Amino acid sequence: MDQPIIQIKNLKKAFGQREVLKNINFDVHKGEVVTIIGSSGSGKSTLLRCINLLETPNGGQILYNSKNILEGGKIHQYCAKVGMVFQQFNLFNNMNVLENCVVGQMKVLKCNRQEAEERAKKYLDHVGMLQYINARPRQLSGGQKQRVAIARALSMEPDVLLFDEPTSALDPEMVGEVLKVMKDLAASGLTMLVVTHEMGFARDISDRIVFMADGIILEDSTPEELFNNPKHERTRAFLTRAMDK
């Protein structure tokens, strides 16, 4: 297999006395879709926030294309290459849809406006939101906002896209439209790291599923292996509860 695009080595994170991540180790290869599952408080979102440096780890390494970005790495370049889609959309409410997808390209990637708009429109079209380019976020449904947030992240043309519970703030009828976009992205070969509580979705799109509990990785295996033959009792108990919902 080729060199991993992201390698996490002995990653630790604590908030005060509370250890949230304890010696986390795993890799993500180019084109892989890795989902992270686990109960609330298991450390899933903190792990994602450490990977994109919204949180600073207390120890360990994050290697991007074999370079440890925590040691004098070019953090701005790294952050531009690792996109993030948040649970709460995080759109700029004072900007319309197009501007939301243009501003980062111009500021971070130094694209000119024409190039930025063309790219934004391409990805808004990709997620079915091109006709809403002049709308403000308050005029959109939750599912539409999340699709704009995905288009905004894609407009930066990242190497890896992180999703932190992208459907948990949505009404049930809007979940499907966002999951469909994500399935299409997975099929296109985009490298994706997804924290989700949607078990059917995780099973369908993942190359690997990571199960976390109490700040450690208990299992890291294929969907077939994890769902049909989990190794740990805690994984079995979690899946039983999750699948009953």
Side-chain angles (χ1 to χ4, degrees):
M1 207 173 189
D2 60 351
Q3 183 68 23
I5 190 166
I6 288 179
Q7 291 169 280
I8 307 299
K9 295 187 174 181
N10 303 318
L11 198 71
K12 300 183 179 80
K13 177 64 183 175
F15 295 104
Q17 296 298 306
R18 191 167 63 93
E19 274 190 297
V20 182
L21 300 177
K22 307 165 189 172
N23 275 347
I24 298 288
N25 292 277
F26 78 106
D27 300 340
V28 181
H29 290 262
K30 189 171 175 57
E32 253 192 329
V33 177
V34 179
T35 55
I36 304 173
I37 63 172
S39 301
S40 182
S42 59
K44 311 180 299 293
S45 291
T46 301
L47 174 57
L48 226 54
R49 291 173 67 83
C50 283
I51 291 172
N52 79 346
L53 303 182
L54 284 173
E55 298 286 355
T56 305
N58 298 115
Q61 298 180 319
I62 300 172
L63 279 72
Y64 169 69
N65 290 330
S66 304
K67 292 188 178 69
N68 182 11
I69 52 106
L70 297 176
E71 279 181 4
K74 294 184 176 170
I75 284 174
H76 289 303
Q77 290 177 352
Y78 168 76
C79 290
K81 289 293 182 187
V82 179
M84 181 89 163
V85 176
F86 299 88
Q87 190 174 328
Q88 298 292 347
F89 327 127
N90 287 22
L91 296 175
F92 300 114
N93 290 320
N94 61 335
M95 296 180 185
N96 66 23
V97 163
L98 183 63
E99 203 63 30
N100 261 282
C101 297
V102 161
V103 62
Q105 295 181 63
M106 293 177 67
K107 278 192 172 170
V108 179
L109 304 181
K110 308 301 181 201
C111 294
N112 65 46
R113 174 161 284 277
Q114 184 184 351
E115 184 187 356
E117 286 193 4
E118 282 173 9
R119 200 189 277 182
K121 286 174 181 174
K122 177 175 93 170
Y123 290 112
L124 285 165
D125 190 32
H126 193 71
V127 301
M129 289 299 293
L130 185 59
Q131 68 269 42
Y132 295 95
I133 57 171
N134 295 314
R136 295 287 174 116
R138 66 175 180 275
Q139 297 170 296
L140 303 176
S141 70
Q144 289 171 329
K145 285 180 197 173
Q146 194 59 292
R147 284 188 281 153
V148 171
I150 293 170
R152 177 177 64 179
L154 291 172
S155 295
M156 303 293 284
E157 300 201 328
D159 288 341
V160 183
L161 198 44
L162 312 178
F163 292 85
D164 186 12
E165 299 268 17
T167 60
S168 65
L170 301 179
D171 294 332
E173 65 270 19
M174 291 172 189
V175 169
E177 65 188 67
V178 172
L179 294 183
K180 181 186 181 306
V181 168
M182 292 175 67
K183 282 180 181 173
D184 290 346
L185 292 176
S188 76
L190 181 67
T191 309
M192 294 164 59
L193 190 52
V194 184
V195 169
T196 186
H197 60 277
E198 299 281 345
M199 292 301 115
F201 173 71
R203 177 187 257 166
D204 288 348
I205 72 153
S206 306
D207 296 299
R208 283 171 33 229
I209 298 182
V210 170
F211 173 69
M212 289 184 68
D214 297 329
I216 60 173
I217 290 175
L218 278 187
E219 302 207 33
D220 180 349
S221 59
T222 64
E224 294 76 22
E225 183 74 18
L226 189 105
F227 280 97
N228 299 331
N229 190 24
K231 295 182 182 65
H232 286 265
E233 177 55 41
R234 292 206 50 185
T235 318
R236 282 194 287 275
F238 171 80
L239 289 174
T240 301
R241 284 197 312 276
M243 301 303 263
D244 281 348
K245 284 180 183 173

